[in-house]
Amino acid sequence: MIRTARPADLDAIAALHTRARATYYQGRIPAEEYAGEAELARTRQGWSVAVARSAAEGGVLCAEQDGELRGVAAFRTTGGETTLTQLHVDPAHWRRGTGAALHAACVDAWRRAGVGRVRLEVYEHNLRAQAFYASRGWNPDPAGAERAGSHLTLWLSLGSGECETPAGG
């Protein structure tokens, strides 16, 4: 089941986020940057802000099965630009359709809101995520050079039906 996140979900969301991040950051950046009590508190605070946003500013969606949080996605619109800011699936539940269901729910929300194009940043070493997004129509910046530090920027153009490649992409 995909549903809107609630404040009561914050502890579970932060813990899931931390577990998911550990899978692609471990061995690449210092553990204190993605794990530990201080980082968990910072993560929970960030999710708290996201959950509190108005629908016009974005959304946080939870994938739940049998009362257990399996995945979470967040998006935000500022200055006319919509960004998929987070999409995490609990590693214990990878490859079971949770990420695909969350992504589809986000696409539905964006289309209902009239969003035509969405961006995201994905960690350059997270090849699993890059393959996931590519299979759903996300493309690198058409100029080929847009990056945010150690993250690649990808774009998804939404048409009236299937996802389309951005102009020049």
Side-chain angles (χ1 to χ4, degrees), residues 25-100:
Y25 283 150
Q26 191 170 31
R28 298 192 185 279
I29 66 172
E32 59 271 9
E33 291 185 32
Y34 63 84
E37 289 303 314
E39 181 59 18
L40 184 60
R42 188 194 68 75
T43 297
R44 188 185 189 288
Q45 177 57 33
W47 281 103
S48 177
V49 170
V51 168
R53 284 189 189 114
S54 71
E57 296 173 300
V60 178
L61 303 175
C62 290
E64 184 179 86
Q65 185 174 0
D66 301 324
E68 179 186 355
L69 184 69
R70 301 283 175 100
V72 63
F75 55 91
R76 182 175 187 192
T77 300
T78 57
E81 182 175 276
T82 299
T83 302
L84 176 61
T85 57
Q86 307 280 346
L87 195 155
H88 299 287
V89 173
D90 191 316
H93 299 286
W94 280 354
R95 308 200 62 78
R96 297 183 189 174
T98 303

Side-chain angles (χ1 to χ4, degrees), residues 96-117:
R96 297 183 189 174
T98 303
L102 278 168
H103 186 270
C106 288
V107 169
D108 288 345
W110 298 329
R111 285 191 173 131
R112 283 192 311 273
V115 173
R117 186 173 156 175

Side-chain angles (χ1 to χ4, degrees), residues 118-137:
V118 182
R119 72 184 291 279
L120 70 77
E121 295 173 3
V122 60
Y123 184 53
E124 66 187 341
H125 296 292
N126 191 347
L127 302 180
R128 173 191 292 287
Q130 290 176 44
F132 172 86
Y133 293 122
S135 74
R136 281 152 184 83

